[in-house]
């Protein structure tokens, strides 16, 4: 089955295992991010107030500048796979810790979560693409990265449509514990890749090769919207009166958009492989 799928997607036989593990890793990066995003936006708007959004976005942008500078400094000192493993653990445990503060009615939790969901999404994606650029050469990157990205989009689709189901099943606030669970799965995948591909992951300690960084650059572009006000957010806040209806809207809206993205991405790698393979 995997061989037939690989042939259709222009993935060579010796690349299939590494490709699947890498796509699975991005799946957990994206699915965890969408869970936290849906929760944090809904909780912030309904429990803290949409009027504070401009100030929080401005603080978030400044924080991003300093955090990215700090990450750039330590990325050259710690192997990328190890750093990604620890970041998964830190993101999950910190968010779970905030979950247990919610019963104390500390309103400041919600703007903190709103900022963390942006920071964690960018940092995890940054370290993922840094690792992916070590695992694949330039030619492989151009052919496989759109397909690997599709794995992440699939995670966003499942995370999006699964959010309302989880909210009803385990309660709204326990979505933060679900986020921790998904990040732990991501950490396990990183460890498993270290066992399966130790020779490849040794490249973490070597100087970075010059290769395509387009996916990573795309991740940085996602910081820009944090500086702008979204008319959609205000409209949604007025339209949906409860947390349950709002999180359903965010989840289904993003889920549909990601389905469209997935369809496009599945054909990008195939087209490239046909004409450049």
């Amino acid at each position: 089955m995997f061989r037939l799928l690989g042939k259709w997607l222009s993935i060579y036989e010796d690349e299939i295992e590494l490709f699947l593990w890498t796509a699975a890793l991005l799946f957990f990066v994206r699915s965890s991010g969408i869970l936290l995003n849906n929760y944090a936006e809904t909780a912030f708007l309904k429990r803290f107030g949409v009027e504070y959004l401009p100030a929080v976005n401005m603080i978030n942008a400044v924080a991003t500048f300093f955090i990215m500078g700090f990450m750039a400094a330590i990325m050259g000192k710690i192997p990328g796979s190890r750093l990604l493993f620890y970041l998964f653990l830190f993101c999950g445990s910190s968010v779970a810790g905030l979950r247990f503060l919610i019963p104390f009615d500390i309103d400041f939790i919600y703007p903190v979560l709103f900022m963390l969901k942006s920071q964690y999404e960018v940092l995890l994606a940054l370290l993922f693409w840094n690792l992916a650029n070590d695992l694949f050469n330039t030619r492989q990157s151009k052919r496989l990265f759109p397909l690997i990205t599709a794995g992440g989009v699939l995670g966003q689709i499942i995370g999006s449509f699964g959010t309302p189901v989880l909210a009803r099943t385990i309660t709204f606030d326990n979505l933060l514990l679900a986020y921790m669970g998904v990040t732990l799965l991501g950490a396990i995948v990183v460890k498993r890749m270290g066992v399966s591909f130790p020779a490849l992951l040794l490249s973490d300690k070597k100087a970075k090769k010059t290769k395509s960084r387009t996916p990573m650059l795309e991740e940085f572009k996602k910081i820009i919207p944090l500086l702008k006000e979204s008319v959609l957010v205000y409209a949604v806040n007025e339209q949906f009166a409860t947390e349950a209806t709002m999180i359903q809207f965010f989840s289904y809206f993003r889920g549909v958009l990601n389905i469209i993205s997935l369809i496009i991405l599945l054909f990008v790698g195939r087209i490239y492989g046909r004409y450049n393979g």
Side-chain angles (χ1 to χ4, degrees):
M1 175 181 169
F2 288 137
R3 290 183 179 180
L4 290 175
L5 183 62
K7 184 177 180 181
W8 186 78
L9 295 174
S10 299
I11 305 173
Y12 303 139
E13 188 172 342
D14 60 342
E15 299 171 337
I16 292 178
E17 185 179 2
L18 180 58
F19 164 78
L20 289 175
W21 277 109
T22 308
L25 182 57
L26 187 57
F27 175 93
F28 289 119
V29 169
R30 292 307 191 191
S31 57
S32 62
I34 204 72
L35 274 175
L36 184 58
N37 197 30
N38 287 336
Y39 175 88
E41 289 192 5
T42 302
F44 176 84
L45 293 174
K46 291 304 179 187
R47 299 181 183 181
F48 197 75
V50 69
E51 64 272 16
Y52 297 102
L53 192 58
V56 171
N57 276 339
M58 186 163 54
I59 295 171
N60 200 22
V62 175
T64 298
F65 175 80
F66 288 104
I67 291 173
M68 298 309 276
F70 173 75
M71 287 300 297
I74 66 173
M75 281 172 62
K77 301 177 181 179
I78 303 176
S81 58
R82 186 186 306 171
L83 191 57
L84 181 56
F85 172 78
Y86 288 135
L87 184 61
F88 266 126
L89 296 181
F90 176 78
C91 292
S93 59
S94 60
V95 167
L98 289 174
R99 163 65 183 94
F100 295 110
L101 294 178
I102 289 176
F104 296 100
D105 294 324
I106 304 173
D107 291 340
F108 194 69
I109 291 173
Y110 303 111
V112 169
L113 280 169
F114 188 87
M115 290 188 288
L116 287 182
K117 58 97 176 175
S118 302
Q119 301 298 336
Y120 287 175
E121 180 182 11
V122 171
L123 290 174
L124 285 170
L126 169 66
L127 292 182
F128 168 82
W129 287 116
N130 184 63
L131 181 62
N133 273 293
D134 285 327
L135 294 174
F136 298 98
N137 59 43
T138 303
R139 193 172 185 81
Q140 288 175 314
S141 299
K142 292 178 180 179
R143 177 166 43 84
L144 296 178
F145 277 10
L147 298 175
I148 292 172
T149 302
V153 174
L154 184 61
Q156 289 179 306
I157 293 171
I158 294 176
S160 292
F161 288 113
T163 297
V165 177
L166 282 173
R168 290 192 298 267
T169 304
I170 63 176
T171 73
F172 179 70
D173 287 330
N174 283 335
L175 287 174
L176 298 180
L177 299 181
Y179 171 82
M180 180 185 68
V182 179
T183 56
L184 288 178
L185 290 174
I188 291 171
V189 171
V190 175
K191 275 292 185 183
R192 183 66 178 81
M193 290 178 70
V195 173
S196 299
F197 313 104
L200 290 175
L201 292 178
L202 284 176
S203 62
D204 288 334
K205 300 179 181 179
K206 300 176 183 178
K208 302 298 181 185
K209 300 176 181 178
T210 303
K211 55 178 75 173
S212 175
R213 297 285 173 173
T214 302
M216 192 183 301
L217 292 175
E218 291 301 319
E219 299 302 330
F220 283 117
K221 291 178 182 178
K222 294 183 179 180
I223 300 173
I224 298 175
L226 296 177
L227 303 174
K228 303 177 181 178
E229 282 305 319
S230 173
V231 176
L232 174 64
V233 170
Y234 286 95
V236 169
N237 187 62
E238 293 297 323
Q239 181 68 31
F240 300 99
T242 66
E243 291 178 347
T245 55
M246 178 177 285
I247 202 168
Q248 283 182 358
F249 168 79
F250 279 137
S251 300
Y252 297 146
F253 177 75
R254 288 168 176 150
V256 170
L257 289 181
N258 280 297
I259 287 175
I260 297 171
S261 298
L262 179 62
I263 294 172
I264 295 172
L265 285 167
L266 285 175
F267 285 96
V268 170
R270 179 170 168 79
I271 293 171
Y272 180 89
R274 175 173 294 181
Y275 293 102
N276 297 276

